[in-house]
Amino acid sequence: MKIAIVGAGFSGSTLAIELVQKIAQDTSFSLILLNDQGQPGTGIAYGQARPEHLLNVRAADMGACADNKADFAEALALDEAERRGFLPRLRYGDYLHRRIAETVSRYPQHLSLVSGAARSITRTAQGGFVIQRADNAPPLHCDVVVLATGALPPLPLTGVAPALLQSPAYIASPWQDGALDHVPATGRVLIVGAGLTMADIVLSLHQRGFHGTITTLSRRGLAPLAHTEQPAAPVTLPEDVRAALAHARVRPLAHALIRAARKANDWRPLIDAMRPHTQDFWQSLDASERARFIRHLAPYWDIHRHRLAPGVDAHLHHARQQGCLQSLAARLVEAHPAPCGGVDVRFQARGQQTQQTAHFDVLIRATGLETQLARTPHPLLAQLRDDGLVQGDALGLGLRVDAQLRTIGRDGKAVAGLYYLGPLLRADFWELIAVPDLRVAARDLARHLAERADKPSDDGGLSQHTSAASR
C-alpha cells in the first residue's frame, strides 16, 4: 500500500510519524509526505512565527504524539519552570522539524519526503489516486491520500473595495514575509479581528518599534482571556453541567456553565474539564442548535477556551493602559483607499443605527481561521470540491468527514481512500483545531490506516475517534 499525505505541517507530519512507527516492519507499505512550503513539520503556525510569538499551551503538554505528551519538554530538557511556561512557537517549530527529519532518517524504506505543491488529485479506474504536481513534476500514484493542507487562504473582508486589495495599505495575511515592513512607525493601524492573531500582530508591531495607535474591530469587542501563571488543579464537572451535556441543547449548557463558573474560585479548570465532552456534545446537536451556538455563543466560548500566555496578556494590558491599543465593538461596512494614502473606513458600532467614518494608515485582516470551503481559492481543495470529492458543511465551518475522517463527497457518501486531517475538522468535531486534539486524531487515523495496510479495506474504522480517545 502506498499512502500520500498532502501537507507537512503539524497534522501531516505527526500522522506520518505515528503511521511509520506502527507499520515499521511491513515492507509492502510506503508513505509519501508532500511538503509545499518551509521546513517540514512547521507549517504556517510554527514556520512563519516570529521570536515574540508564544505557544498558547504550556510546554509540558505540547508533545507531538498523543501517547507521549511530555516529549516536547523532554526533547528540550526543560526544567520545571519552563515546563509550566509558554515557550516561543519557533522553538516548537524546530522541535517538529527535528522529529520528522529523524523519522525520515530512521525509516527511509517507508517514508519519503517530497517537495512541491499538489495541483490536483484524481481517482483512477482501479480506485487509487493520481496527484499532479506543480512545475511539471512527475505525477504521484498512490492507493490512499490524506489531505493535511492546514488553514485555507484568507478571503477578502466584506466591504473592502477591490482597489484596496491591491494596495500596500491593506494586509490580507500578516504571516507573509515582510507583511508588516511598511507599517509607519507612528501610524494609525486598524486590525479587523480581536483574537489570537490580533495579539501576535500587536506584539510584532511593538517589537519592530511601532509606537503609533492600534484599533481592533470585532462584532462584540471581545478579546482572548489569559492563562494563569501557574496551572490550576483539575476539577470534575458539576452534576448539572453533565446533565445539560446530555440534553443536546445549547441554552441549558450555557446556563449550567455560567452557574458553575460563578461558584468556582477560577473558571479555567471548569472550561478545561469540558474538553473531553465538547466533541460529543457538538455531534449531538442538530443543525438549528449548531447555528444557534455559532450565532450567540461561539465568540464567548473561544475567548475562554483559547487563552493567551500570561506574558502576552500583560503586554496587551499595558498597551491599553497607555492608550495605544483600543477595541471597538463594531462591524466593518466599507473600506477603500484614501485619496491622500492609507484607508478610509466606515463602520457601525454594536447596538447603534448610525455609521461612523475614520481614517487609518493600514488595515490588517486578523479574522482567524478561514474555513469556508465553498468559496475558497485554494487550488487543490477547489478542484476536489468541484470534482465532488469533498464538500463543506452548511455553516461554513470546514470540510465534512465521516467517523474515520474520510471526506464526504458531493453525493453525501464517504470517498474511499481519501481522508482529511487538520483544522477544517471543526465542521464535524468543533474542538479539533489545537495540538492536544489534533495529535489524538493523528494517532487514531494512523491506527486505522495501519489496519488497512495489513488488510486493505475501507470498511474498517477507528474504534474510538478523537472525542472518546482524548478522555
Side-chain angles (χ1 to χ4, degrees), residues 217-418:
L217 187 150
S218 62
R219 291 292 184 96
R220 291 173 175 80
L222 302 173
L225 300 173
H227 288 281
T228 52
E229 287 286 352
Q230 301 297 324
V235 301
T236 301
L237 287 178
E239 181 59 38
D240 61 336
V241 174
R242 294 199 299 271
L245 283 166
H247 288 164
R249 292 185 60 201
V250 169
R251 188 186 297 271
L253 178 60
H255 289 324
L257 283 172
I258 291 170
R259 288 193 300 270
R262 286 172 176 166
K263 296 177 183 178
N265 293 328
D266 183 359
W267 53 265
R268 294 167 184 83
L270 175 68
I271 297 299
D272 294 341
M274 283 286 295
R275 188 170 208 148
H277 306 280
T278 50
Q279 290 177 17
D280 286 341
F281 179 72
W282 178 257
Q283 292 180 323
S284 73
L285 300 179
D286 61 24
S288 63
E289 285 294 306
R290 289 187 182 187
R292 182 173 289 110
F293 176 83
I294 296 298
R295 187 165 57 249
H296 298 296
L297 292 180
Y300 298 96
W301 172 257
D302 285 344
I303 66 170
H304 289 82
R305 174 67 181 80
H306 303 289
R307 303 192 284 272
L308 293 168
V312 176
D313 181 66
H315 183 99
L316 298 181
H317 180 70
H318 178 74
R320 292 187 183 101
Q321 285 188 320
Q322 296 298 309
C324 56
L325 175 64
Q326 61 177 330
S327 301
L328 291 178
R331 67 178 182 90
L332 181 68
V333 177
E334 183 181 63
H336 55 81
C340 57
V343 185
D344 286 333
V345 304
R346 188 156 49 91
F347 61 90
Q348 184 172 340
R350 185 173 178 83
Q352 301 296 316
Q353 297 299 317
T354 59
Q355 297 179 354
Q356 303 174 54
T357 60
H359 176 81
F360 296 92
D361 295 291
V362 177
L363 187 157
I364 304 176
R365 178 194 183 278
T367 50
L369 180 69
E370 184 60 68
T371 60
Q372 296 188 57
L373 186 68
R375 298 174 55 203
T376 187
H378 190 289
L380 177 61
L381 290 178
Q383 173 259 316
L384 291 169
R385 176 200 64 206
D386 295 343
D387 288 354
L389 295 177
V390 301
Q391 66 164 292
D393 70 306
L395 295 173
L397 296 175
L399 183 151
R400 291 192 59 208
V401 296
D402 70 358
Q404 289 76 45
L405 303 190
R406 294 177 298 184
T407 66
I408 302 298
R410 183 187 297 135
D411 60 2
K413 298 178 181 178
V415 178
L418 183 62

Side-chain angles (χ1 to χ4, degrees), residues 10-11 14 41 45-46 55-59 61-66 68-69 72 89 92 95-96 275 305-306 431-443 470:
F10 174 84
S11 296
T14 301
Y46 308 111
L55 295 169
N56 298 313
V57 177
R58 299 181 195 275
D61 194 36
M62 282 294 288
C65 295
N68 190 5
K69 299 177 183 179
F72 174 56
R89 291 210 297 267
Y92 192 68
Y95 155 75
L96 292 174
R275 188 170 208 148
R305 174 67 181 80
H306 303 289
E431 285 292 307
L432 201 45
I433 57 175
V435 163
D437 305 301
L438 285 170
R439 68 188 175 200
V440 173
R443 179 196 63 190
S470 63

